[in-house]
Amino acid sequence: MTLNLIKWRFAIIALFTFPKLVFSQFISPVEHNISLTGNFGELRNNHFHEGFDIRKNHNQNENKILAVMDGVVSRIKISPDGYGKMLIIDHPNGYSTLYGHLKRYSPELEEFIKSYQYANHTFEMDVENLNIPIKQGSEVGIMGNTGASRGEHLHFEILDTKTKTKINPEFFNYDIEDTKPPVFEKLRLVGLDYEFNTMNSKDFNVYRKNSNTYYISGDTIKMGNVNIGTEVLVYDLMNANTFHVGIFKLTLFENQKQKFTITFDSISRANFYNYKSHIDYSQYLINGQKYHRAFALPGDKMANYDCDRSSPYITLDYDVPKDIELVAEDYNGNKSSLKFVVVLDENIDIPYKPSYNYHVTLGDKCEIDDEDFDIKIDSNAFFKNVYLLAEKIDTNLANVYSKAVEIYTNKEAFQNSIEVAIKVDKIDENINNLCIVRIDNGQRKILGDNFEDGFMKVNVSEEGIYVVMADDTKPVIKPIRYSANMKKYSYMSFKIDDNFSPNSNCPLKYNGYIDDEWVLFEYDKKNKLITHYFEKTLSAGKHNLKIVVEDSIGNTKMYNSSFVR
């Protein structure tokens, strides 16, 4: 099948899946040829990637970002992490487009944004239900590296305006040259019990037979379990660069019959967190590898799957080999296949010894009641039945006000958070400085300070050690670009930090003042920097500077100085 015929096939499928596409007349959001460092459905560290990451044009100092179609700017959000400086445009065809990690907005939008920030004394903002008209091809901003970005690029998404479902931008006729087939890296087979617990596993290196056919050494795999799950490390390549990107489709065939397919055509809001069940989450925690699962866990209701959920795994019989083929496909129809044979072997020992003291059943609520802690688990907290360990442990930490509680799920992923309440052992002058902290490899991450009826309460969604601690340490303010003489500088910057790692639920708060008037400092969380760009209205001469930083507990640090412009 030729490339053009393949593209027409996907276009017809897309037309029936997303009928509004027939009206789409989107242009490119950049002025240069699109080259991607990330694509739709790619496996990231904690989510499916929901759009394009478009590289900058290295021949230009700044890269303009353009509105792909007439519409209205409906939302502007500025955050120190996430998408950083972001906006959404609603279009008359029923779709919206999102532009993230901008360096700055267009001059017209900047005027509105700065007015809002100064009126509300805030860098961060999230204003929805706007109705700012914009024309196709108009500048919306400049490509940047704000938020959680690790390099200058545009994060570009297309979503259904009404449902907020994210749509693969490939469907919108962006001409991205790709004649390279996906690449298989590794195969992993897991022996499963009837609760989908991993009894044992085998990893296999895969070898390329030709450009798009792969095999394993020995061809036949012997497994000691009746039920087998198949997992694979696989990525795609594009012509313009060497970045590893995501595949469009993965299909498993059992004896030439389709058993499982996942297609990254769209991702609904309801399926966003199914990422943790689609990958082998335990392997990710152990070694950072992101295996695609070619089977669905019982609690994984992801709409992208085409499979028989009543028989999700491969079932083996003695002396009856099964022919298995995995086919990975990109949007342009380039395919690669990996074939092997699997057979049941009765002589293989099957170890499975989970550490647990509670068995949590999918679909049932559960409460663990101890005199020193209480855990409430909703019916859909996990993606399967889980063997859970919850126990008190000793720590050598100072300023501890409770027993430390370890929560261990045998590295099973959370689907939703669980409520943890830990009893406070003593009430003293530090009562207003108490918080629940997660201890991870020596790092202390503050989660909350909700105190009720003698307990500190917080929602958690990962394994770890949790303990109540007192925090009476003030944040840190360190000058980075600042001196008494600022005549030659266009901006000043400071590092702000805290003894406990700040997060979205417990952020650092800050304000800056020049001559007792609030001024805008932009916050780059990944680099722990706040930066003020001097306004043209600031007069020459001596000025007083004050910066105030407060952590989520209320510990406050103040920095006072003076400078000359």
Side-chain angles (χ1 to χ4, degrees), residues 77-81 116-117 120-126 507-510 520-521 523:
K77 182 177 181 179
I78 298 178
S79 170
D81 48 16
Y116 179 94
Q117 290 172 320
N120 292 276
H121 288 190
T122 179
F123 164 64
E124 297 183 50
M125 60 184 288
D126 188 1
L508 285 177
K509 302 175 184 178
Y510 69 94
L520 176 65
F521 274 84
Y523 185 19

Side-chain angles (χ1 to χ4, degrees), residues 187-429:
L187 172 70
R188 176 176 170 84
L189 296 187
V190 293
L192 301 170
D193 67 11
Y194 288 97
E195 292 186 305
F196 288 80
N197 298 305
T198 298
M199 308 289 283
N200 59 9
S201 63
K202 289 185 176 182
D203 295 346
F204 301 89
N205 293 321
V206 298
Y207 304 94
R208 192 196 304 262
K209 184 177 295 185
N210 53 46
S211 63
N212 62 350
T213 304
Y214 293 78
Y215 67 96
I216 63 167
S217 177
D219 182 61
T220 299
I221 300 170
K222 293 182 178 181
M223 294 293 291
N225 294 80
V226 172
N227 301 320
I228 302 299
T230 306
E231 304 173 355
V232 66
L233 291 179
V234 61
Y235 63 87
D236 192 29
L237 293 169
M238 293 183 172
N239 292 19
N241 56 60
T242 59
F243 288 97
H244 293 186
V245 296
I247 58 174
F248 177 71
K249 180 185 291 188
L250 178 67
T251 302
L252 182 143
F253 295 92
E254 177 185 333
N255 291 337
Q256 291 77 51
K257 292 184 178 180
Q258 184 268 350
K259 178 77 173 177
F260 172 92
T261 299
I262 181 171
T263 305
F264 292 104
D265 51 4
S266 64
I267 298 174
S268 69
R269 298 177 75 181
N271 292 151
F272 182 79
Y273 292 105
N274 288 71
Y275 165 89
K276 292 193 292 185
S277 62
H278 174 66
I279 68 168
D280 186 327
Y281 194 67
S282 65
Q283 286 300 294
Y284 172 68
L285 293 179
I286 293 169
N287 55 38
Q289 293 181 318
K290 300 187 258 306
Y291 280 89
H292 284 273
R293 277 179 168 145
F295 62 95
L297 295 182
D300 184 354
K301 306 303 181 185
M302 193 165 181
N304 301 63
Y305 295 152
D306 177 13
C307 62
D308 181 359
R309 293 180 183 271
S310 65
S311 178
Y313 30 62
I314 299 168
T315 302
L316 300 179
D317 295 316
Y318 290 115
D319 301 321
V320 182
K322 293 284 182 75
D323 292 321
I324 306 300
E325 181 181 14
L326 287 162
V327 177
E329 187 172 356
D330 63 27
Y331 179 80
N332 285 313
N334 303 300
K335 296 181 181 181
S336 292
S337 73
L338 168 62
K339 295 181 180 180
F340 58 93
V341 177
V342 61
V343 66
L344 184 62
D345 187 341
E346 60 182 338
N347 297 316
I348 296 179
D349 183 40
I350 304 173
Y352 182 60
K353 297 179 180 179
S355 300
Y356 76 102
N357 51 12
Y358 299 96
H359 182 253
V360 181
T361 304
L362 179 67
D364 293 339
K365 292 183 178 182
C366 174
E367 184 167 358
I368 300 171
D369 191 7
D370 183 275
E371 62 177 347
D372 293 307
F373 66 89
D374 182 79
I375 301 175
K376 293 181 180 178
I377 303 173
D378 208 352
S379 59
N380 61 347
F382 302 101
F383 293 101
K384 57 183 282 299
N385 296 347
V386 167
Y387 289 89
L388 181 91
L389 178 67
E391 62 179 358
K392 291 170 282 191
I393 62 171
D394 294 326
T395 67
N396 297 319
L397 299 172
N399 292 329
V400 169
Y401 279 69
S402 75
K403 302 292 192 298
V405 179
E406 181 178 20
I407 299 174
Y408 181 62
T409 64
N410 291 278
K411 300 192 179 342
E412 296 292 348
F414 287 71
Q415 181 172 190
N416 292 293
S417 60
I418 63 177
E419 182 185 286
V420 177
I422 302 178
K423 184 180 179 181
V424 177
D425 284 342
K426 55 184 177 180
I427 305 296
D428 59 19
E429 67 277 4

Side-chain angles (χ1 to χ4, degrees), residues 506-533:
C506 303
L508 285 177
K509 302 175 184 178
Y510 69 94
N511 283 289
Y513 305 86
I514 294 179
D515 300 331
D516 295 324
E517 293 289 333
W518 187 90
V519 294
L520 176 65
F521 274 84
E522 300 193 2
Y523 185 19
D524 178 5
K525 184 178 176 181
K526 61 178 175 287
N527 293 313
K528 302 178 181 179
L529 285 178
I530 58 172
T531 302
H532 171 69
Y533 297 91

